[in-house]
Amino acid sequence: MTLELSESGAVFVLLSILLIPLAIAGLALIHTGLGRSRNAGHMMMSCLCVVGVAAGTYFICGFAWQGVSGGTAHIARLGGRDWNWLAAQPAFFRGVEMNGSPASLTVWMQMLSVVLAAFIPLGSAAERWRLGPLCASAALLAGVTYPVFAHWVWGGGWLAQLGVSYGLGHGFVDAGGSATIQTVGGLTALAMAWIMGPRRGKYTSEGMPTAIPGHHAVFVLFGCLMAWAGWLGLNSAGAALFTGMAPRRAVLVALNTTLAAGSAALMTVLVTRVRFGKPDASLAANGWVAGLAASSAGCAFVPPAAAALIGLIAGLLVPFAIETLELRLSIDDPGGAISVHAIGGIWGILALGLFERFPAPVLNTADDPARLTSLSGAGQGLAQVIGVATLIGFVLPLTYGLNWLLNRWLPHRVSQEGERQGLDMHELGAGAYPDFMTHTDEFFQR
Amino acid sequence: MTLELSESGAVFVLLSILLIPLAIAGLALIHTGLGRSRNAGHMMMSCLCVVGVAAGTYFICGFAWQGVSGGTAHIARLGGRDWNWLAAQPAFFRGVEMNGSPASLTVWMQMLSVVLAAFIPLGSAAERWRLGPLCASAALLAGVTYPVFAHWVWGGGWLAQLGVSYGLGHGFVDAGGSATIQTVGGLTALAMAWIMGPRRGKYTSEGMPTAIPGHHAVFVLFGCLMAWAGWLGLNSAGAALFTGMAPRRAVLVALNTTLAAGSAALMTVLVTRVRFGKPDASLAANGWVAGLAASSAGCAFVPPAAAALIGLIAGLLVPFAIETLELRLSIDDPGGAISVHAIGGIWGILALGLFERFPAPVLNTADDPARLTSLSGAGQGLAQVIGVATLIGFVLPLTYGLNWLLNRWLPHRVSQEGERQGLDMHELGAGAYPDFMTHTDEFFQR
Amino acid sequence: MTLELSESGAVFVLLSILLIPLAIAGLALIHTGLGRSRNAGHMMMSCLCVVGVAAGTYFICGFAWQGVSGGTAHIARLGGRDWNWLAAQPAFFRGVEMNGSPASLTVWMQMLSVVLAAFIPLGSAAERWRLGPLCASAALLAGVTYPVFAHWVWGGGWLAQLGVSYGLGHGFVDAGGSATIQTVGGLTALAMAWIMGPRRGKYTSEGMPTAIPGHHAVFVLFGCLMAWAGWLGLNSAGAALFTGMAPRRAVLVALNTTLAAGSAALMTVLVTRVRFGKPDASLAANGWVAGLAASSAGCAFVPPAAAALIGLIAGLLVPFAIETLELRLSIDDPGGAISVHAIGGIWGILALGLFERFPAPVLNTADDPARLTSLSGAGQGLAQVIGVATLIGFVLPLTYGLNWLLNRWLPHRVSQEGERQGLDMHELGAGAYPDFMTHTDEFFQR
């Protein structure tokens, strides 16, 4: 089925997309607040540069490889079946008429989604990532990793066609980007944390982690509220563009997104209260964003109670995931980006399989209405699992490999001296808060 | 009359509602900035938790009791007339199809409105309210107080029907929530300030108040700008959903909201300049928000000049109200929430009666067009006064009683030691700004 | 041609305008962060007051002189041709029905645009401008300077008619306000910097500038992201209202705005990296906003690659412009407002002449379709140059003269003692960050 948008439908999608910069701004604040004051200006600068780099790269070549459902694509013939593996569109958005057509709206939304995905690794590699390499890494994400996987899901690729080709439900479904944005970004965050290693002073010589608190709880929590506003637009626009949801049903998307975020934060508050005696503000923020990340895949296809449940489980997973990474796997993720976006995102992908209640044919499969009556939930669940397996089995090695190669040519990590001094002074030559007196020497001894 | 929305009308309302999280984020920043730095993280955490609790409670049972105009309701027969006093909808939003219908848009807008109302008491009880009880109190507001009164105004209840039943103008009219959101929240703020008593050190042993300045003027004033953006959506959506305003007339709503806020802030600047020699930034922020609160009721039904006048008077009332509460009544309201939202809101309700110029039948009464020709302004004014009397005579005792009972079971107030230490350390175990050096000992001696 | 908007078109424009407050909030944060902490509260207060003053003045008389295309106007007969020089509308928006008509949307959008323009001089005259005179100056801008020039461009005045009257392309075209908002504001910023002179301690007795770093890089860079969100609405609404762009084509506007901002920031990062050894965060922020300012004029009429190029050149111009003003011309502009908004804006105006590719007749000239076939790019370029000449030759002297006269009656500049103490304490009686310890004595010795 090709997506048809009425004029008011196009207006709705266009304006929903205009809210996504709020999610971008919110994530920037969260990352900044979760780091120390000596890296605050550098983190915001990194975010600003990544907007330019990721959007620019996506413009140059990213979209050409992602494409749109039904567009020109490279197709391989494997085992008697077509395997749609890469789009073949012209570069620089040529060939897309900018007139509010679904293709043009996809271009515009994707340019922002790719920025959002490219922001996520900034959280896990924070406080030690140099500006040049992080821009190069964002270009790799926006130019290669993201478009390839997004083609498979949103561009009519083989994951989207699992339903039509192999009878697995509606194929892999991801309305708002739990997979394409959150998990792709989160797995890249994991790759970066591996490549970079932990921050100086994070682990004692015995391997015990020490707490390095973020410097600004207000930025972090205010960023959560901004991210929520942006996510409402993100999920609505994604559901309309990539699953063919009627714009008027966005009211369900909005309710679900809100319930998922709120219940996730409350659950994290409860878990940290029970385990540590006091609720933890940074973890609550992580829980909130994990709820948002988990809400995206199924936002248009689950009833509100299921959305609340998805949030509760996301909020339960996050503190344990963070603890496991930090204690067991010795992975230093200052922003919690891996747990929030990869674990939250994967949970959201799978939750769609558990709770989906499709109200109407979705875009991927609607050209085959006869088949829809015989759909089983198990098939949909399997499609979602295949998507997750692809993320872990293909996207993670790909993004690790690309960034590992980049590291050989352009080392990601700042010098020891620079890390101690803080990236603000070292890389930008100026602190973010020159008028304020700070406890800068606290972590220097280690 | 039942509300009919064209597809573009539904899109308009849906997208307007998507701006309300900006008002929520703005209020959170205002509350945080008006408190001291040792409570900043706690205030933002409270806000995040209240989003989850209020939205969740409203989902579980709140909406069931608020309902929509024309929906199922409990009706008592009193003195020969029907008295529509409570909706009788199923819980968990069941029975509302999430398809952009007016009912579904109401559900979505109300879930955010109830969060906004539940934020207001956080301002007056700031710096001494424990996280657990404040979540419970938000649940009471979202589950009982708000839905009952909102049913009367927006759900087809008896206040809405004052026009049809008793010939009082169009019945009680409140387009954007001066009564249902602002005054309900503001009166709960008053109840909480009474129940909690003033902060340690606020009053000397002779009963003289001391100034405890907020810690972050930039957050407060930036929060005002964010709140404005959110209010534009709030007033537009409310006017369309609850009075049947044609979406295209939202341009008047936007102009009026802006003029009210701007003129209110300027008036407060002028008043504080004349009285204290220098304009006061915190009070100017309070004036601005009071202008917003007062603008809501009549935003679609007054000409721009009247909106500016409503703002000027709101900006005049606020500093005097704040002074009266603090000096005469010994009520300690750190965020000025009572004066801003209750006084500002009540003024907005009454101002509609003074300045209303209804351009077209509003929703409550439009099924009786013949009657409309004989409407007198006095009847409308009386309906508005009855609404205010109900707020003071019924909602205030109700919200006081509920929170008083809660206090017996779960004390609202933090321990003396916790208050001295700051809620960030005491309840969350971490300061909001660990890298910055602060003057923390300043108020400890008292 | 008169603009016709479908219902969904009107909804689109109305909602796009609702994003402009985000640009206003973003600029406020940028100005605040680029100043020192002792002036932070004062800057935010100035912004809040300017919203009230500029919107109010525009309501009282500004719009009456700006008017709308095709409305009543004063027309002089010069050299055998009509010269439409001033609108003649009633004051207080009377005569404009607030029903979503293009005229009413223009009123609403312009009320926010004039606030944006009035914010710009706050950047160049920061840290030394008294609150009273800056409000009066904002009133002059909103009541005189802005409406007169905006009438010429957007109200059917002689610049708009250069195409019809003299065959110069489509006449002067400025979709989103590179001229009317950015350059008018930026030239007023220049006038104010001249009138006020540099800050104490900015120049040594030998005339060498010293660096006075802004106090909050996070506010500045977060403000950039907010400004971007607002600009998406600003450019979309302007292009639809003032050039007749079909709302669905706003997707091109959004892409172009984003590419211009991102590429401008990257170019500034590169330039400062090459010249100073390290990228500069404040200048990168200035570059970003200059990219936004330059994007406005042609946002709907250039292909994305040209938008990226416009941004790159804006990002190249800004650091050199700032250096030239500071070093060669001894103009102290703490916020970089002159370079960002005037230089960026003028570049945007001219860039439209260089890169324009009009997809359809624009509003100014569409009543003459026969003529459109014979249009040459040179004519359009000349029209743009005439606009720039008018800005420099007429608007700059006008705004300088008005503010110079105002200075005689109400001196703009704060006393030496007040400047040293900081405007927060001096004018508002309270610091913005009373809980935080600051290095306040740093600049006192000079």
Side-chain angles (χ1 to χ4, degrees):
Chain A
M1 185 174 76
T2 333
L3 179 62
E4 302 276 349
L5 283 173
S6 66
E7 192 181 332
S8 66
V11 161
F12 171 77
V13 174
L14 184 46
L15 287 165
S16 296
I17 301 172
L18 292 188
L19 292 175
I20 301 179
L22 299 179
I24 291 172
L27 272 199
L29 273 191
I30 293 172
H31 285 341
T32 302
L34 288 173
R36 281 166 293 176
S37 60
R38 73 182 83 151
N39 301 312
H42 188 268
M43 177 57 87
M44 290 300 299
M45 266 290 270
S46 305
C47 290
L48 205 74
C49 290
V50 165
V51 174
V53 169
T57 311
Y58 192 76
F59 166 58
I60 294 171
C61 65
F63 178 71
W65 296 329
Q66 176 174 345
V68 291
S69 188
T72 330
H74 299 285
I75 292 170
R77 190 103 189 139
L78 286 180
R81 280 205 171 83
D82 283 344
W83 192 65
N84 181 327
W85 63 280
L86 198 65
Q89 300 269 335
F92 295 104
F93 301 160
R94 280 172 297 129
V96 178
E97 216 192 328
M98 297 298 167
N99 59 356
S101 64
S104 68
L105 291 168
T106 301
V107 163
W108 165 224
M109 185 201 164
Q110 288 307 291
M111 190 190 245
L112 298 181
S113 301
V114 83
V115 169
L116 211 50
F119 266 35
I120 296 170
L122 296 176
S124 72
E127 311 209 284
R128 55 204 191 283
W129 204 356
R130 293 165 58 222
L131 191 59
L134 72 84
C135 286
S137 178
L140 290 175
L141 183 91
V144 182
T145 321
Y146 182 95
V148 168
F149 187 76
H151 172 69
W152 297 350
V153 179
W154 286 342
W158 67 276
L159 280 170
Q161 294 177 357
L162 283 178
V164 173
S165 309
Y166 295 90
L168 299 180
H170 298 79
F172 183 77
V173 172
D174 179 16
S178 288
T180 46
I181 303 173
Q182 307 306 324
T183 312
V184 167
L187 293 176
T188 306
L190 174 61
M192 289 313 304
W194 269 330
I195 292 170
M196 310 268 283
R199 288 169 287 176
R200 289 187 71 243
K202 177 65 193 175
Y203 291 95
T204 63
S205 45
E206 293 85 40
M208 287 302 297
T210 54
I212 305 183
H215 84 289
H216 211 302
V218 178
F219 284 163
V220 173
L221 294 163
F222 177 70
C224 288
L225 296 174
M226 298 295 293
W228 169 38
W231 236 270
L232 294 172
L234 175 70
N235 282 351
S236 298
L241 279 178
F242 301 127
T243 74
M245 179 195 74
R248 290 188 132 203
R249 285 182 55 82
V251 71
L252 177 66
V253 173
L255 284 172
N256 284 349
T257 308
T258 304
L259 286 169
S263 58
L266 289 178
M267 178 55 92
T268 310
V269 165
L270 204 70
V271 169
T272 53
R273 171 78 178 73
V274 167
R275 298 202 61 199
F276 313 134
K278 299 187 185 215
D280 186 281
S282 304
L283 288 175
N286 281 335
W288 173 276
V289 183
L292 291 173
S295 77
S296 291
C299 56
F301 310 118
V302 299
L309 187 60
I310 291 174
L312 287 173
I313 294 174
L316 188 67
L317 290 171
V318 155
F320 293 102
I322 286 178
E323 203 177 302
T324 305
L325 288 173
E326 184 168 323
L327 278 174
R328 306 282 162 88
L329 307 175
S330 295
I331 291 173
D332 181 19
D333 176 0
I338 304 165
S339 308
V340 166
H341 299 278
I343 307 292
I346 289 174
W347 160 238
I349 299 166
L350 299 175
L352 173 82
L354 293 175
F355 302 117
E356 52 93 355
R357 212 176 288 172
F358 287 101
V362 299
L363 208 56
N364 287 336
T365 47
D367 43 7
D368 189 6
R371 206 179 56 76
L372 287 174
T373 49
S374 62
L375 282 180
S376 75
Q380 185 66 44
L382 189 54
Q384 303 301 105
V385 168
I386 292 174
V388 171
T390 309
L391 282 161
I392 296 174
F394 176 81
V395 172
L396 179 58
L398 174 66
T399 192
Y400 184 90
L402 288 172
N403 282 293
W404 183 87
L405 282 173
L406 178 62
N407 194 37
R408 310 226 59 171
W409 169 63
L410 195 68
H412 287 295
R413 185 148 181 169
V414 74
S415 67
Q416 281 224 3
E417 178 51 30
E419 190 176 344
R420 211 173 62 135
Q421 194 184 15
L423 295 169
D424 284 6
M425 287 309 287
H426 185 71
E427 287 228 293
L428 306 179
Y433 310 110
D435 284 11
F436 295 98
M437 297 176 70
T438 53
H439 308 281
T440 35
D441 296 323
E442 213 164 331
F443 296 96
F444 274 30
Q445 285 72 2
R446 298 202 181 93
Chain B
M1 185 173 77
T2 333
L3 179 62
E4 303 275 351
L5 283 174
S6 67
E7 192 183 330
S8 67
V11 161
F12 172 77
V13 173
L14 185 46
L15 287 164
S16 296
I17 300 172
L18 292 187
L19 292 175
I20 300 179
L22 299 179
I24 291 172
L27 272 199
L29 273 192
I30 293 173
H31 285 341
T32 302
L34 288 174
R36 281 164 293 175
S37 60
R38 74 182 83 151
N39 301 312
H42 188 269
M43 177 57 88
M44 289 301 298
M45 266 288 270
S46 306
C47 289
L48 206 73
C49 291
V50 165
V51 175
V53 169
T57 310
Y58 192 76
F59 166 57
I60 294 171
C61 65
F63 177 71
W65 296 331
Q66 175 173 347
V68 291
S69 189
T72 331
H74 298 285
I75 291 170
R77 189 104 191 137
L78 286 179
R81 279 206 172 83
D82 284 344
W83 193 64
N84 181 325
W85 64 279
L86 198 65
Q89 300 269 334
F92 295 103
F93 299 162
R94 281 173 297 132
V96 178
E97 218 193 328
M98 297 297 167
N99 58 358
S101 63
S104 69
L105 292 167
T106 301
V107 163
W108 165 226
M109 186 201 164
Q110 288 306 292
M111 190 189 246
L112 299 181
S113 301
V114 82
V115 169
L116 212 51
F119 266 35
I120 296 170
L122 297 176
S124 72
E127 310 207 284
R128 56 205 191 280
W129 204 357
R130 293 166 58 223
L131 191 59
L134 72 84
C135 285
S137 178
L140 290 175
L141 183 91
V144 182
T145 322
Y146 182 94
V148 169
F149 187 74
H151 172 69
W152 297 351
V153 179
W154 286 342
W158 66 277
L159 281 170
Q161 294 177 356
L162 284 178
V164 173
S165 309
Y166 294 89
L168 299 180
H170 298 79
F172 184 76
V173 172
D174 179 15
S178 288
T180 47
I181 303 173
Q182 307 307 323
T183 311
V184 167
L187 292 176
T188 305
L190 175 60
M192 288 313 306
W194 268 331
I195 291 170
M196 311 269 281
R199 288 169 288 177
R200 290 186 72 239
K202 177 65 193 177
Y203 291 95
T204 63
S205 46
E206 293 86 38
M208 286 303 297
T210 54
I212 304 182
H215 85 288
H216 211 302
V218 177
F219 285 164
V220 173
L221 294 163
F222 178 69
C224 288
L225 296 174
M226 298 294 292
W228 169 38
W231 236 269
L232 294 171
L234 174 71
N235 282 350
S236 298
L241 280 179
F242 301 127
T243 72
M245 179 195 76
R248 291 189 130 201
R249 286 182 54 82
V251 70
L252 177 66
V253 172
L255 284 173
N256 283 350
T257 308
T258 304
L259 286 170
S263 59
L266 290 177
M267 177 55 91
T268 310
V269 165
L270 204 69
V271 169
T272 53
R273 170 78 178 74
V274 166
R275 297 202 61 201
F276 313 132
K278 298 189 184 210
D280 185 281
S282 305
L283 288 174
N286 281 334
W288 173 276
V289 183
L292 291 174
S295 76
S296 291
C299 56
F301 310 119
V302 300
L309 188 59
I310 290 173
L312 287 174
I313 294 174
L316 188 66
L317 289 171
V318 156
F320 292 102
I322 286 178
E323 202 177 303
T324 305
L325 287 173
E326 182 168 324
L327 278 174
R328 305 282 163 87
L329 306 175
S330 295
I331 291 173
D332 180 18
D333 176 0
I338 304 166
S339 308
V340 166
H341 298 279
I343 307 293
I346 289 174
W347 160 238
I349 299 166
L350 299 175
L352 173 82
L354 293 175
F355 302 118
E356 51 92 357
R357 212 176 289 170
F358 287 101
V362 298
L363 208 55
N364 287 336
T365 46
D367 43 8
D368 189 9
R371 206 178 57 74
L372 287 173
T373 48
S374 62
L375 283 179
S376 74
Q380 186 64 45
L382 189 53
Q384 301 302 105
V385 168
I386 292 173
V388 172
T390 308
L391 282 161
I392 296 174
F394 176 82
V395 171
L396 179 58
L398 174 67
T399 192
Y400 184 89
L402 289 172
N403 281 295
W404 183 86
L405 282 173
L406 178 62
N407 194 36
R408 310 225 60 174
W409 169 64
L410 195 69
H412 287 296
R413 185 147 182 171
V414 73
S415 67
Q416 281 224 1
E417 178 51 30
E419 189 176 344
R420 212 174 61 136
Q421 195 183 14
L423 294 169
D424 284 6
M425 287 310 286
H426 185 71
E427 288 227 295
L428 305 179
Y433 310 110
D435 283 12
F436 294 98
M437 297 176 71
T438 52
H439 307 281
T440 36
D441 296 324
E442 211 163 333
F443 296 96
F444 275 28
Q445 285 72 3
R446 294 197 185 98
Chain C
M1 185 175 73
T2 332
L3 179 61
E4 303 275 349
L5 283 173
S6 66
E7 193 182 330
S8 66
V11 161
F12 172 77
V13 174
L14 184 46
L15 287 164
S16 297
I17 300 172
L18 292 187
L19 293 175
I20 301 179
L22 299 178
I24 291 172
L27 272 199
L29 273 191
I30 294 173
H31 285 341
T32 302
L34 287 173
R36 282 166 292 176
S37 59
R38 73 183 81 152
N39 301 311
H42 188 269
M43 177 57 86
M44 289 300 298
M45 266 289 270
S46 306
C47 289
L48 206 73
C49 291
V50 164
V51 174
V53 168
T57 311
Y58 192 76
F59 167 56
I60 294 170
C61 64
F63 178 70
W65 296 330
Q66 176 174 347
V68 290
S69 188
T72 331
H74 298 285
I75 291 170
R77 190 103 191 138
L78 286 180
R81 280 206 172 81
D82 284 342
W83 193 65
N84 181 327
W85 63 281
L86 198 65
Q89 301 271 333
F92 296 102
F93 300 160
R94 281 174 297 130
V96 177
E97 216 192 329
M98 295 299 166
N99 58 357
S101 63
S104 68
L105 291 168
T106 301
V107 162
W108 165 226
M109 185 201 165
Q110 287 308 291
M111 191 190 244
L112 298 180
S113 302
V114 82
V115 169
L116 212 51
F119 265 36
I120 297 169
L122 297 176
S124 72
E127 310 208 283
R128 55 207 193 279
W129 204 356
R130 293 165 60 222
L131 190 59
L134 73 84
C135 286
S137 178
L140 291 175
L141 182 89
V144 181
T145 321
Y146 182 94
V148 168
F149 186 74
H151 172 70
W152 296 350
V153 179
W154 286 342
W158 67 275
L159 280 169
Q161 293 177 354
L162 283 178
V164 173
S165 310
Y166 294 91
L168 299 181
H170 298 80
F172 184 76
V173 172
D174 179 16
S178 288
T180 47
I181 302 174
Q182 307 307 323
T183 311
V184 167
L187 293 176
T188 306
L190 175 60
M192 288 312 306
W194 269 331
I195 291 171
M196 311 267 283
R199 287 170 289 175
R200 289 186 71 240
K202 177 65 193 174
Y203 291 95
T204 62
S205 47
E206 292 85 42
M208 286 304 297
T210 55
I212 304 182
H215 85 288
H216 211 302
V218 178
F219 284 164
V220 173
L221 294 163
F222 177 70
C224 287
L225 296 175
M226 298 295 292
W228 169 38
W231 236 268
L232 294 171
L234 174 71
N235 282 351
S236 298
L241 280 178
F242 301 127
T243 73
M245 179 195 75
R248 291 188 131 204
R249 287 182 53 81
V251 71
L252 177 65
V253 172
L255 285 173
N256 283 350
T257 307
T258 304
L259 285 169
S263 58
L266 290 178
M267 178 53 94
T268 311
V269 165
L270 204 71
V271 169
T272 52
R273 171 77 179 72
V274 167
R275 298 201 61 199
F276 312 134
K278 300 189 184 215
D280 185 282
S282 304
L283 287 174
N286 281 334
W288 174 277
V289 183
L292 291 173
S295 77
S296 291
C299 56
F301 310 119
V302 300
L309 187 60
I310 291 175
L312 287 173
I313 294 174
L316 188 67
L317 290 171
V318 155
F320 293 102
I322 286 178
E323 202 177 303
T324 305
L325 287 173
E326 183 169 324
L327 277 174
R328 305 283 162 85
L329 306 176
S330 295
I331 291 173
D332 180 18
D333 176 359
I338 304 165
S339 307
V340 167
H341 298 278
I343 307 294
I346 289 173
W347 161 238
I349 299 166
L350 299 176
L352 173 82
L354 292 176
F355 302 117
E356 52 92 357
R357 213 174 290 169
F358 288 101
V362 298
L363 208 56
N364 287 336
T365 46
D367 44 6
D368 189 8
R371 205 177 57 74
L372 287 174
T373 49
S374 62
L375 282 180
S376 75
Q380 185 64 45
L382 190 53
Q384 302 301 105
V385 168
I386 292 173
V388 171
T390 309
L391 281 160
I392 296 174
F394 176 81
V395 171
L396 179 57
L398 173 67
T399 191
Y400 184 90
L402 289 172
N403 281 294
W404 183 86
L405 282 172
L406 178 62
N407 194 36
R408 310 225 58 172
W409 170 64
L410 194 69
H412 287 295
R413 186 149 183 168
V414 72
S415 67
Q416 281 225 1
E417 178 50 30
E419 189 176 345
R420 211 173 61 135
Q421 193 184 15
L423 294 169
D424 284 6
M425 288 308 288
H426 185 72
E427 288 227 296
L428 306 179
Y433 311 110
D435 283 11
F436 295 97
M437 297 175 71
T438 53
H439 307 281
T440 36
D441 296 323
E442 212 163 331
F443 296 96
F444 275 29
Q445 285 71 0
R446 293 196 186 100

